[in-house]
Amino acid sequence: MKATRAAVAAVAFLGLATTGCLVQVTHVSDPGRAFESARGEALGDGARRVRASHLNVLAWDPGDPEMVRVSVPLWLIRNVEHDVDWDDIDGEGHDHEAWRRQMGKLRWEDIERGGPGILLEVTEDEGDRVLVWLR
């Protein structure tokens, strides 16, 4: 059983390594330092005038002490953006029609043109936090 898990882990690692994706899960009770560091990284990247290469997301939910950081190469996003079915977005309280109209206007070329830096930072009253930036 251990050999099977190791083999699955190795295959998953190789799959992520070849796409350039990074998914990191960390258990934290206070994500403040991680968000400050990520914000500093994003602001530093934004000060340089280079082409963005990765979309990064840092998210934390106080109800679940797992903080998740994801980094996805923009070439991968460009390759799959047309395959997203916006009608399939699910969740309570979402106005699917409005979501589709807005996302239909959003193009990755426009986002990338702005270069590296913070795209979105949200801290909700309940403590949920999300930071999205281009690097």
Side-chain angles (χ1 to χ4, degrees), residues 10 20 23 33 36 41 46 60 63 67 71 77 80-81 88 91 101 108 111 122 132:
V23 177
R33 182 171 280 155
E36 286 175 28
E41 175 184 308
W60 185 74
M67 181 176 60
S71 182
I77 293 171
V80 299
E81 74 175 309
D88 241 3
R101 281 192 308 272
W108 278 109
I111 293 172
V122 176
V132 180

Coordinates of all heavy atoms in Angstrom, one line a residue, residues 10 20 23 33 36 41 46 60 63 67 71 77 80-81 88 91 101 108 111 122 132:
A10 N 4.5 10.3 -6.8 CA 5.5 10.6 -7.8 C 4.9 11.1 -9.1 O 5.4 12.0 -9.7 CB 6.4 9.4 -7.9
G20 N 4.2 23.2 -14.6 CA 4.7 24.4 -13.9 C 3.8 24.9 -12.8 O 4.0 25.9 -12.3
V23 N 0.9 23.8 -6.0 CA -0.1 23.8 -5.0 C 0.5 23.5 -3.7 O 1.1 22.5 -3.5 CB -1.3 22.8 -5.4 CG1 -2.3 22.9 -4.3 CG2 -1.9 23.1 -6.7
R33 N 1.3 36.7 8.5 CA 2.7 36.8 8.0 C 2.7 36.4 6.6 O 3.4 37.0 5.7 CB 3.6 36.0 8.9 CG 5.1 36.2 8.4 CD 6.0 35.5 9.4 NE 6.2 36.5 10.5 CZ 6.6 36.2 11.7 NH1 6.8 35.0 12.0 NH2 6.8 37.1 12.6
E36 N 1.2 39.0 4.3 CA 2.1 40.2 4.2 C 3.3 39.9 3.3 O 3.7 40.7 2.5 CB 2.7 40.5 5.6 CG 1.7 41.2 6.5 CD 2.2 41.4 7.9 OE1 3.5 41.6 8.1 OE2 1.4 41.5 8.9
E41 N 5.7 40.5 -2.0 CA 6.2 39.8 -3.3 C 5.5 40.4 -4.5 O 6.1 40.8 -5.5 CB 6.0 38.3 -3.2 CG 6.3 37.5 -4.4 CD 5.9 36.1 -4.2 OE1 6.3 35.5 -3.2 OE2 5.2 35.5 -5.1
G46 N 5.3 44.1 -9.1 CA 4.6 45.1 -9.8 C 5.5 46.3 -10.1 O 5.3 47.1 -11.0
W60 N -7.3 31.6 2.6 CA -7.4 31.1 4.0 C -8.8 31.2 4.5 O -9.4 32.3 4.3 CB -6.4 31.8 4.9 CG -6.3 31.2 6.3 CD1 -5.8 30.0 6.6 CD2 -6.9 31.8 7.5 NE1 -5.9 29.8 8.0 CE2 -6.6 30.9 8.5 CE3 -7.6 32.9 7.7 CZ2 -7.0 31.2 9.8 CZ3 -7.9 33.2 9.0 CH2 -7.6 32.3 10.1
G63 N -12.3 28.8 9.4 CA -13.0 27.6 9.8 C -12.2 26.3 9.5 O -12.5 25.3 10.0
M67 N -4.2 26.9 4.8 CA -4.0 28.0 3.9 C -3.5 27.4 2.6 O -2.6 26.5 2.6 CB -2.9 28.9 4.5 CG -2.7 30.1 3.6 SD -1.5 31.3 4.4 CE -0.1 30.3 4.6
S71 N 0.0 28.5 -7.7 CA 0.7 29.3 -8.8 C 0.5 28.5 -10.1 O 0.8 27.3 -10.2 CB 2.1 29.4 -8.5 OG 2.8 30.2 -9.4
I77 N -3.3 28.8 -18.4 CA -4.6 29.5 -18.3 C -5.1 29.9 -19.7 O -6.3 29.7 -20.1 CB -4.5 30.7 -17.4 CG1 -4.3 30.3 -16.0 CG2 -5.8 31.6 -17.5 CD1 -4.0 31.4 -15.0
V80 N -6.7 27.0 -21.5 CA -7.9 26.4 -21.1 C -9.0 27.4 -20.9 O -10.2 27.0 -20.7 CB -7.7 25.6 -19.7 CG1 -6.7 24.5 -19.9 CG2 -7.4 26.5 -18.6
E81 N -8.8 28.7 -21.1 CA -9.8 29.7 -20.8 C -11.0 29.5 -21.7 O -12.1 29.8 -21.3 CB -9.2 31.1 -20.9 CG -9.0 31.6 -22.3 CD -8.5 33.0 -22.4 OE1 -9.2 33.9 -21.8 OE2 -7.5 33.3 -23.0
D88 N -21.7 26.5 -15.8 CA -21.5 25.4 -14.8 C -21.0 26.0 -13.5 O -20.9 25.2 -12.5 CB -20.4 24.5 -15.4 CG -20.9 23.1 -15.5 OD1 -22.1 22.9 -15.3 OD2 -20.1 22.2 -15.9
G91 N -23.0 27.7 -6.9 CA -22.9 28.3 -5.6 C -24.2 29.1 -5.3 O -24.9 29.5 -6.1
R101 N -22.0 37.4 -18.2 CA -21.8 38.7 -19.0 C -20.5 39.3 -18.6 O -19.8 39.8 -19.5 CB -23.0 39.6 -18.7 CG -24.3 39.3 -19.4 CD -25.3 40.4 -19.3 NE -25.5 40.9 -18.0 CZ -26.4 40.4 -17.2 NH1 -27.2 39.4 -17.6 NH2 -26.6 40.9 -15.9
W108 N -7.8 37.5 -20.9 CA -6.5 37.3 -20.2 C -5.5 38.3 -20.8 O -4.6 38.8 -20.1 CB -6.0 35.9 -20.3 CG -6.6 35.1 -19.2 CD1 -7.6 34.1 -19.4 CD2 -6.4 35.2 -17.8 NE1 -8.0 33.6 -18.2 CE2 -7.3 34.3 -17.2 CE3 -5.6 36.0 -17.0 CZ2 -7.3 34.1 -15.8 CZ3 -5.6 35.8 -15.7 CH2 -6.5 34.9 -15.1
I111 N -5.7 41.4 -18.9 CA -5.1 41.3 -17.5 C -3.6 41.3 -17.6 O -2.9 41.9 -16.8 CB -5.7 40.0 -16.8 CG1 -7.2 40.2 -16.6 CG2 -4.9 39.8 -15.5 CD1 -7.8 38.9 -16.1
V122 N -9.1 40.4 -0.8 CA -10.3 40.4 -0.1 C -10.1 39.9 1.3 O -9.5 38.8 1.5 CB -11.4 39.6 -0.8 CG1 -12.7 39.5 0.0 CG2 -11.6 40.1 -2.2
V132 N -4.9 37.6 -4.9 CA -4.7 37.1 -6.2 C -3.7 38.1 -6.9 O -4.0 39.3 -6.9 CB -6.0 37.0 -7.0 CG1 -5.7 36.5 -8.4 CG2 -7.0 36.1 -6.3

